[in-house]
């Protein structure tokens, strides 16, 4: 099967909209890496937050990294530390 980033993002979105935390993380990654969707930090962060609220460790760690780097949101060391400790 040939790789199709647009179709992958579409499928991640379907699962993410149904509350699947892993799909929310993957969709966030798609937005950050422009894979099948336009670069969109705001949507990337929104999907990560939804996954993090479900105690998804990968989402919590990635959200901490984004706060630490200031990518898609203001840089915030305290918020980064909170997510890294979850």
């Amino acid at each position: 099967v040939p790789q199709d980033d647009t179709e992958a993002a579409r499928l991640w979105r379907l699962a993410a909209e149904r509350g699947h935390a892993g799909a929310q993380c993957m969709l966030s990654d798609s937005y950050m890496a422009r894979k099948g969707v336009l670069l969109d930090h705001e949507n990337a962060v929104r999907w990560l937050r939804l996954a993090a609220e479900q105690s998804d460790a990968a989402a919590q760690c990635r959200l901490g990294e984004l706060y630490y780097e200031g990518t898609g949101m203001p840089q915030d060391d305290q918020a980064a530390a909170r997510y890294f400790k979850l």
Side-chain angles (χ1 to χ4, degrees):
V1 176
Q3 181 173 326
D4 184 343
D5 292 335
T6 302
E7 179 66 4
R10 185 185 75 78
L11 294 172
W12 289 132
R13 176 180 299 283
L14 287 175
E17 288 172 346
R18 288 171 175 79
H20 190 281
Q24 291 167 340
C25 285
M26 294 302 294
L27 184 57
S28 173
D29 288 346
S30 294
Y31 278 115
M32 294 298 284
R34 291 186 216 159
K35 288 192 155 208
V37 292
L38 296 175
L39 176 68
D40 187 338
H41 290 134
E42 186 177 316
N43 264 317
V45 169
R46 180 173 72 87
W47 287 112
L48 270 183
R49 281 196 177 116
L50 290 171
E53 289 170 4
Q54 295 182 67
S55 300
D56 184 279
Q60 292 167 342
C61 183
R62 184 68 179 124
L63 206 48
E65 290 170 356
L66 294 179
Y67 271 111
Y68 181 76
E69 297 164 355
T71 303
M73 64 190 71
Q75 197 278 336
D76 186 336
D77 288 337
Q78 290 179 341
R82 279 194 308 274
Y83 278 103
F84 287 140
K85 290 178 182 178
L86 293 176

